[in-house]
Amino acid sequence: MMKHLILTGLVAFGLSTGAFAALDLDVPTLNLPDLGDPASNALSSTEESILGVKLVRELRGSEPVVEDPELSGWLRALGNRLVAQAPGGGNYYFLIVKNAEINAYAMPGGVVVIHSGLILNTDSESELAAVISHEIAHVSQRHIARMMSGEKSNPLLTGLGVLAGAAAASKSPEAAQAIITGAIASQFHRQLSFSRQMETEADRTGLRILAGAGLDPQAMPLFMEKLDRRTSDLNGDITQYLSTHPQSIDRLSDTRELANQLGKRPVREDSDYLYAREKLRAITTSGSRPVTHGNPQLAQYAEAVSQLHRGNAKAVLQLLGMQSRELPVALAIADALNISKRYADTEALLTPLANAYPGQEAILVPLAEALLASEQAAKAWQLMSRANLTEQTSLEFLEVRQRVAEQAGQPVEAYRSAAERSLRMGEYKHARAILEQASRLPGNPAQTSARLQAMVRDIERMESQQKQLDKF
């Protein structure tokens, strides 16, 4: 099980029987030790940010990250909604990893990883947001950097040790245990007296984030109770787990009590959560029954995306029709139309949405596919070029962007797309080589070549910054 990751202090939920400590929303201080910011002695905010980029790229290059533009965009939107309520600001990266374990964890630099198994075992957006809020709180309070405080070993290696443990855990819990404890065991034991306080701080901050985002604070104790039952069913005695992850046995009741103190408040849940969960179920599990709770529209969609995953476009169109006001449903229809080679219908369906939501990857990918198939590459490029490329731009989007640019007579942008994809997987040498090649294309304006060379220098500077952490 992934419980070994909790030894690092990075996993807040996982299969915890009580991942939320006593909260006090009305009292600004708790009986915490004066932690100050010892994190600054071990890893500055800038260094932690550099390490975060390194880790997210390593993850994308080695783990089964879900790169579907719709799902990655949905999780990013939910994460950003919560981050807007978190103290401290900074960059966050939200990734879904295909893994049936019910788990989530944070890493240095704002990397928050959610297993597909956790998402599929939530019943509401608020339940999922409760997990994410707690992970965001660990980042915003710089708990990871605090755990590194006073550690003489290299923080980059520590971070990579955690990453290696995350990768190993999906294959061998024992291997994960060895990697993680080998990387940070000494500092973990030195900081053991603070771990309860850090969890308490993350609990309190996480609940504030959840409530501030307009989601249901009651989802915290409800989900914890669900995990408590599941853990007991699967693992029986969890005394050993409790001994390695110190916590109060009263945390669940404390969380419920403090959530009650918040009283009734308006809750704004987005229906996109339900559609995303069922699409994720269709693409990551085989034969898993949808969870629709008597919602006929959701049941219809769940069946449609299951049929779509099997390539049965006719059944999808019979179930969903040709139009929908719900964006996830419209995207499923568009995919079915493309499989059926009804490209004009895809264009008619998605062009208004692309204009209403410019630059949204989930819309642009199927629309660009349809436009390319109908020999409208120039129009496809005009739409694709609206999207800003960020660290979390999906690899699938970059692949389509490259093909569109090639067919639209935009060779520099085609090379750039390939380089950006390599960059996001941590393949710096390959990215530099692609950009160097692009800069030497015949007919390049001097300004274009200079821009490409500047990108090469940026990559070199990035590599240099990451190597500096080796000397920390």
Side-chain angles (χ1 to χ4, degrees):
M1 302 298 289
M2 289 290 285
K3 66 182 181 180
H4 301 295
L5 286 175
I6 301 174
L7 289 174
T8 67
L10 306 185
V11 177
F13 268 67
L15 288 176
S16 168
T17 58
F20 292 96
L23 310 167
D24 193 340
L25 295 179
D26 299 319
V27 181
T29 58
L30 297 175
N31 292 322
L32 303 177
D34 184 11
L35 297 178
D37 188 18
S40 61
N41 296 326
L43 198 64
S44 72
S45 295
T46 299
E47 289 164 336
E48 189 174 355
S49 178
I50 294 168
L51 180 55
V53 172
K54 169 73 172 176
L55 292 174
V56 76
R57 290 175 177 177
E58 291 285 348
L59 268 170
R60 294 179 85 171
S62 62
E63 286 291 283
V65 173
V66 175
E67 294 287 351
D68 178 88
E70 181 182 2
L71 293 176
S72 58
W74 156 74
L75 182 64
R76 185 163 63 249
L78 174 57
N80 289 341
R81 175 180 172 184
L82 297 168
V83 166
Q85 304 300 320
N91 293 322
Y92 285 78
Y93 310 98
F94 299 95
L95 301 175
I96 304 171
V97 169
K98 183 179 178 180
N99 190 314
E101 297 286 351
I102 303 176
N103 212 350
Y105 55 94
M107 293 195 294
V111 182
V112 177
V113 180
I114 310 295
H115 283 190
S116 57
L118 186 140
I119 296 172
L120 297 183
N121 280 277
T122 58
D123 287 317
S124 69
E125 185 180 34
S126 290
E127 284 189 356
L128 176 59
V131 179
I132 299 174
S133 294
H134 190 86
E135 298 303 329
I136 289 172
H138 274 304
V139 174
S140 71
Q141 304 310 110
R142 305 203 67 214
H143 290 162
I144 303 166
R146 289 181 185 179
M147 294 291 284
M148 292 177 176
S149 178
E151 175 58 40
K152 295 180 180 180
S153 70
N154 175 329
L156 176 59
L157 292 180
T158 300
L160 294 179
V162 172
L163 178 60
S170 63
K171 303 174 181 64
S172 168
E174 292 74 23
Q177 171 89 1
I179 291 170
I180 293 170
T181 56
I184 64 169
S186 59
Q187 93 228 32
F188 176 80
H189 289 298
R190 281 201 299 274
Q191 296 291 340
L192 196 58
S193 61
F194 291 132
S195 62
R196 290 176 186 263
Q197 317 306 332
M198 288 181 177
E199 284 299 311
T200 298
E201 189 175 33
D203 294 340
R204 177 192 61 194
T205 303
L207 186 53
R208 284 175 172 163
I209 291 170
L210 185 65
L215 292 155
D216 188 2
Q218 293 292 340
M220 286 189 171
L222 287 174
F223 193 58
M224 285 299 96
E225 189 173 19
K226 180 192 299 184
L227 289 184
D228 188 25
R229 290 195 302 268
R230 184 179 178 90
T231 302
S232 298
D233 291 343
L234 291 177
N235 300 316
D237 184 11
I238 57 170
T239 304
Q240 184 177 4
Y241 167 72
L242 292 174
S243 69
T244 58
H245 187 54
Q247 58 188 355
S248 168
I249 60 174
D250 297 323
R251 293 172 82 177
L252 178 57
S253 60
D254 290 342
T255 303
R256 185 182 295 111
E257 178 183 349
L258 289 159
N260 288 338
Q261 290 178 12
L262 290 173
K264 296 292 184 180
R265 57 180 59 222
V267 174
R268 297 182 293 106
E269 292 203 342
D270 192 334
S271 62
D272 282 358
Y273 154 81
L274 296 171
Y275 292 111
R277 185 190 64 195
E278 296 313 311
K279 180 176 183 179
L280 182 65
R281 192 187 310 278
I283 68 176
T284 61
T285 62
S286 177
S288 175
R289 297 183 62 181
V291 178
T292 59
H293 298 299
N295 182 332
Q297 185 176 358
L298 182 61
Q300 198 172 47
Y301 173 82
E303 175 62 21
V305 290
S306 178
Q307 293 290 343
L308 187 62
H309 189 60
R310 296 196 289 268
N312 192 348
K314 183 178 179 180
V316 175
L317 296 175
Q318 287 175 341
L319 284 162
L320 302 181
M322 293 284 292
Q323 294 286 335
S324 177
R325 293 182 179 180
E326 297 283 354
L327 179 57
V329 179
L331 293 173
I333 293 169
D335 286 339
L337 290 172
N338 280 351
I339 292 172
S340 304
K341 299 183 179 180
R342 296 171 61 175
Y343 304 120
D345 289 330
T346 300
E347 183 180 356
L349 174 65
L350 293 186
T351 298
L353 293 173
N355 291 329
Y357 306 100
Q360 188 164 137
E361 296 174 25
I363 299 170
L364 292 177
V365 167
L367 179 53
E369 296 277 14
L371 292 171
L372 287 183
S374 56
E375 300 183 350
Q376 298 184 73
K379 184 175 181 180
W381 174 248
Q382 183 181 23
L383 291 169
M384 293 290 279
S385 62
R386 296 180 185 178
N388 294 323
L389 303 185
T390 70
E391 188 62 38
Q392 290 199 100
T393 296
S394 72
L395 302 186
E396 182 180 333
F397 178 83
L398 290 170
E399 290 174 0
V400 175
R401 188 182 192 274
Q402 180 179 349
R403 286 195 289 109
V404 171
E406 288 169 351
Q407 295 187 37
Q410 300 285 339
V412 170
E413 290 295 339
Y415 276 102
R416 182 192 173 198
S417 298
E420 295 277 7
R421 187 177 187 279
S422 293
L423 191 62
R424 279 158 184 76
M425 297 178 70
E427 299 170 353
Y428 297 117
K429 183 177 179 180
H430 191 236
R432 289 200 316 270
I434 293 171
L435 292 171
E436 291 278 11
Q437 188 175 355
S439 70
R440 294 192 295 269
L441 287 174
N444 269 351
Q447 185 177 5
T448 298
S449 294
R451 181 167 60 90
L452 292 168
Q453 288 296 329
M455 292 176 67
V456 171
R457 291 192 295 274
D458 284 342
I459 294 174
E460 291 172 343
R461 183 162 52 250
M462 218 178 300
E463 289 181 288
S464 176
Q465 289 174 334
Q466 291 178 359
K467 287 178 181 177
Q468 287 300 312
L469 289 178
D470 292 339
K471 303 175 183 179
F472 193 87

